[in-house]
Amino acid sequence: MAKGNHQEIRGRPHNLLEHYQPIDSVVDEMVDASGNPRPVWKEFIEALEDLGPEKLAQRFARADQYLRDAGVYYRLYDQAGANEREWPLAHVPLLIEEQEWAAISAGLVQRAELFEETIADIYGPNRLVEKGILPAGLIAASPEYLRPVVGTRPASGHLLHFCAFELGRGPDGRWWVLGDRTQAPSGAGFALENRVATTRALSDIYGEMHVHRLAGFFRRFRDALNGMAKGSGGRVAILTPGPLNETYYEHAYIARYLGIMLLEGEDLTVSGGRLMVRTVSGLMPVSVLWRRLDAAFADPLELRPDSQIGTPGLVEAIRRRAVSAVNALGSGLMETRALFAFLPKISRELRNEELLLPSVATWWCGRDADRDHVLANLDRMVIGPALSTRLAFEDDDCTRLGSALVAGERAELIARIERDGGAFVGQEAVTLSTTPVYVGGWLEPRPAALRVYLARTPEGWTVMPGGFARVGFSLDPTAIAMQRGGQAADVWVVSDRPVERETLLPQEHDSFTRTSPGSLPSRAAENLTWLGRYIERSEGTVRILRAYHVRLAEASDPDMPLLADIREHLEPFGIDVAAAIPPGLIGTLDSAVYSAGQIRDRFSPDGWLALKDLSKTIHQFATTVAPGDDATRAMTVILRKLAGFSGLLHENMYRFTGWRFLEIGRRLERGIQIARTLARLTGAAAPEGALDMMLEIGDSVMTHRRQYPVQTGRRTVIDLLVLDPLNPRSILFQLERLKAEIALLPAVGGEGHMSPAAKEILQLNTAIAIKEPADMTAKALDDLATEIGGLYNSLAKAYFG
């Protein structure tokens, strides 16, 4: 690039464009053909240069830290299996002028309307097939064509409500549609996180430029979903395949951001033709289901019988118009690559319009003329499966670039096309435009594709003013795919005048309703209960281990009776003290992380960060900590972090039904742990020093000294840790809390009737409240631990079934 093209920025401390080399015959988003920054980029680049490399590095590190703190990840699948990968943010946003964006938006709205009409025809009168515009064989062969929904009329009146389109700018400067996303488009939540992270780094620049906000897009779509549900008296829910899905983080994020229930297939059932969610208050209707799983897996009864993530009967509920699916089952058909070849003619037939945004040129080899054209121009074609719903650069296992074929491969491919042309499409090889990325203190060009989102509202389609760009880590176009190491960049739509500062918050005049606390799904309640149990179990184990290692460090004989007794006590619970950080303890905490991961939509980012930090700490200690003093200090650190996590939940979590189940889990487990440990350390055969250790484990040493002006004895320890209603570590305290929280759970068996669990805890609480220390023998304490554990079974039967 000639430096003379940068007169206006020459002499600055750091010229970011000094080494920027646009690629010949490729449009660059930032600079024009002469190498000068385009108008929309000029102010932005100058602002970056004013910061200098050191401050820029600090700014971009701040964005990365935000993403780590928020726990943003993308699940990467490779030969090693599924791994969580930190979200790969490309720190420099892609800038697009408002006027250009308006043209893109108009073309995509037209495309979304065309798709709505096309899907309605394919699953309805089928005139496009009847007139020969669409080949019947192509449609029937597609796995995305779902016969069970043929003739189904959507309850909302529309088949498409949320779409995404992949765009690329070609060498001629025009935007082309590379792919359509009508099945269950992903990435909108990641676009939000891209925006938050990028503005954390470049808040001053963002504030000076007139960048359109994203919140209004989500507010309008949320209101549209709620409006669809309002008339039918049901709820809005997001249907996710679950935590193992590659974009589960986004599902949970969007659910939390919009205040919508996040459900899995097992949370739902169909009763009386209606879709219902299993909640702790019984079955409740769902009337709008924003699905984030592929349609074929949605109903094992009528679609894929091997699906483990669907809901039997869902198709029938949709058929009865009892629920609106967003998007309609079967709409994924429009993602089929071969349909690109027919869209221009379909548009003329259905809308009497030419496409404002053309698709990448495509020929279906099932037609003689198309096949001949592909074979005659093989060197400039990308050949791929006709029925694929993936973009060419995402599907390199099945897609071949004609010019890259060696002689044998070329002959074999030609033979296959001639033999089974209907299985193949030829598409023009796409040369993507480039956008700048920040590498080692300089800007460098990388290929990019743009994903744009559209949502249907009562006023029509609204377009997200930005979306996100997928940017390559190298100049190879296939390197922009996220599964192949691609990065994601924010997209700024820039105006030449101030833009409205929209938010998700309601206006003063807007009406609202408070969601019923009883609408907690049963699966979420169960995971919250077990989260509480696992955290409390971890704390109880850590307290025992700390007391053990304190004495181990002081002992001249590691086989002294008290230490041997503790080892024997812990062994049945899978805790082997031979390791300073026993694998059993790590497994318990891992289980807590798993339970929390099942309910990410109900977890605050701070809570999740604290839990992940706790998990990271204990895993690090496992390889660095030695028994004795070292382990004692490590256990103290872990206890502090456990207390911090528990305190965060206790102080910040809304006191709704979910919090009650979390609290019940904690109190159940603490009661069980204290009872079991007391039975061991206060028994007749307990070794010397056991009572003092018990007080230490029960975090009650100071309280005992204040309460009992006598030497430690069995009766005082039992009185304090079993029968004292004011000691938060006593068993009676746990029973009192359990009685209060269980009484406030949603009624089962009708109003005015006590649940079995409420009766059990009342009886147990009363029985213990009238006991004397002498009554609490080792056997009585073991029996008490069993009875407290039995409360969980009653709760599970009533609320988790």
Side-chain angles (χ1 to χ4, degrees), residues 212-532:
H212 284 268
R213 269 57 175 176
L214 303 182
F217 171 84
F218 288 97
R219 176 173 53 80
R220 286 186 282 275
F221 186 51
R222 179 201 61 188
D223 293 347
L225 293 175
N226 289 333
M228 289 165 59
K230 190 174 182 180
S232 56
R235 289 159 175 75
V236 181
I238 297 175
L239 179 61
T240 174
L244 294 181
N245 183 262
E246 62 184 18
T247 56
Y248 176 74
Y249 169 84
E250 186 213 359
H251 304 171
Y253 178 84
I254 286 288
R256 187 169 60 241
Y257 183 71
L258 299 182
I260 298 174
M261 282 194 299
L262 183 67
L263 304 177
E264 296 181 28
E266 65 181 280
D267 295 325
L268 297 163
T269 186
V270 176
S271 177
R274 293 205 69 181
L275 185 65
M276 314 291 280
V277 55
R278 297 182 176 94
T279 77
V280 295
S281 298
L283 297 179
M284 294 187 175
V286 173
S287 56
V288 178
L289 192 65
W290 184 5
R291 63 178 180 86
R292 301 301 301 271
L293 80 168
D294 289 352
F297 292 91
D299 185 348
L301 192 63
E302 295 203 49
L303 300 172
R304 281 190 60 153
D306 61 336
S307 172
Q308 301 293 314
I309 56 176
T311 303
L314 177 59
V315 169
E316 179 61 21
I318 292 173
R319 196 180 285 132
R320 292 191 181 195
R321 308 185 76 196
V323 61
S324 294
V326 177
N327 289 325
L329 300 183
S331 57
L333 179 66
M334 296 309 299
E335 297 183 1
T336 305
R337 201 181 296 180
L339 287 186
F340 271 27
F342 303 93
L343 286 179
K345 194 170 183 180
I346 292 174
S347 182
R348 289 190 288 270
E349 173 66 26
L350 295 181
R351 301 180 60 83
N352 195 28
E353 295 174 348
E354 297 296 329
L355 292 174
L356 297 176
L357 277 180
S359 308
V360 60
T362 303
W363 294 265
W364 178 53
C365 296
R367 296 188 294 192
D368 293 344
D370 284 19
R371 182 176 63 251
D372 293 342
H373 178 82
V374 168
L375 293 176
N377 297 275
L378 196 60
D379 285 343
R380 61 184 185 89
M381 292 284 177
V382 172
I383 309 299
L387 300 180
S388 175
T389 58
R390 303 178 69 187
L391 275 66
F393 58 74
E394 296 176 330
D395 202 18
D396 59 356
D397 290 338
C398 302
T399 300
R400 296 289 180 265
L401 181 62
S403 60
L405 295 172
V406 298
E409 293 174 331
R410 183 184 183 89
E412 181 185 355
L413 181 58
I414 290 174
R416 291 177 62 193
I417 293 174
E418 289 176 338
R419 182 172 61 251
D420 186 17
F424 296 92
V425 291
Q427 294 183 299
E428 279 195 0
V430 176
T431 302
L432 296 174
S433 62
T434 56
T435 193
V437 297
Y438 190 75
V439 181
W442 307 99
L443 294 180
E444 295 183 6
R446 292 289 186 271
L450 176 63
R451 181 175 292 185
V452 186
Y453 299 89
L454 279 72
R456 186 184 292 280
T457 71
E459 292 74 37
W461 289 101
T462 182
V463 181
M464 181 193 293
F468 77 82
R470 292 194 286 175
V471 183
F473 70 90
S474 71
L475 293 177
D476 179 3
T478 66
I480 74 172
M482 303 298 289
Q483 291 289 342
R484 293 173 175 82
Q487 304 172 86
D490 191 15
V491 178
W492 292 7
V493 176
V494 183
S495 176
D496 57 3
R497 57 188 180 278
V499 298
E500 184 178 357
R501 295 180 177 270
E502 296 186 278
T503 72
L504 210 64
L505 298 175
Q507 304 300 313
E508 283 296 323
H509 61 274
D510 291 345
S511 61
F512 67 91
T513 56
R514 181 178 293 164
T515 303
S516 168
S519 59
L520 177 71
S522 297
R523 182 182 54 83
E526 185 175 14
N527 277 293
L528 283 163
T529 304
W530 275 106
L531 174 61

Side-chain angles (χ1 to χ4, degrees), residues 658-726:
W659 181 86
R660 301 194 190 289
F661 280 102
L662 180 70
E663 180 73 356
I664 286 168
R666 291 180 61 214
R667 299 303 173 183
L668 281 173
E669 194 64 33
R670 183 175 292 184
I672 294 169
Q673 295 287 330
I674 292 291
R676 283 175 174 166
T677 311
L678 276 166
R680 185 79 185 197
L681 295 181
T682 64
E688 182 181 353
L691 293 177
D692 288 329
M693 179 182 266
M694 186 66 239
L695 287 173
E696 188 178 326
I697 292 169
D699 199 20
S700 298
V701 173
M702 295 296 294
T703 305
H704 186 274
R705 290 174 184 169
R706 288 194 301 267
Q707 295 289 92
Y708 307 97
V710 296
Q711 187 177 4
T712 304
R714 184 181 188 280
R715 286 186 303 167
T716 60
V717 172
I718 292 292
D719 186 60
L720 181 60
L721 290 177
V722 178
L723 304 176
D724 191 334
L726 301 181

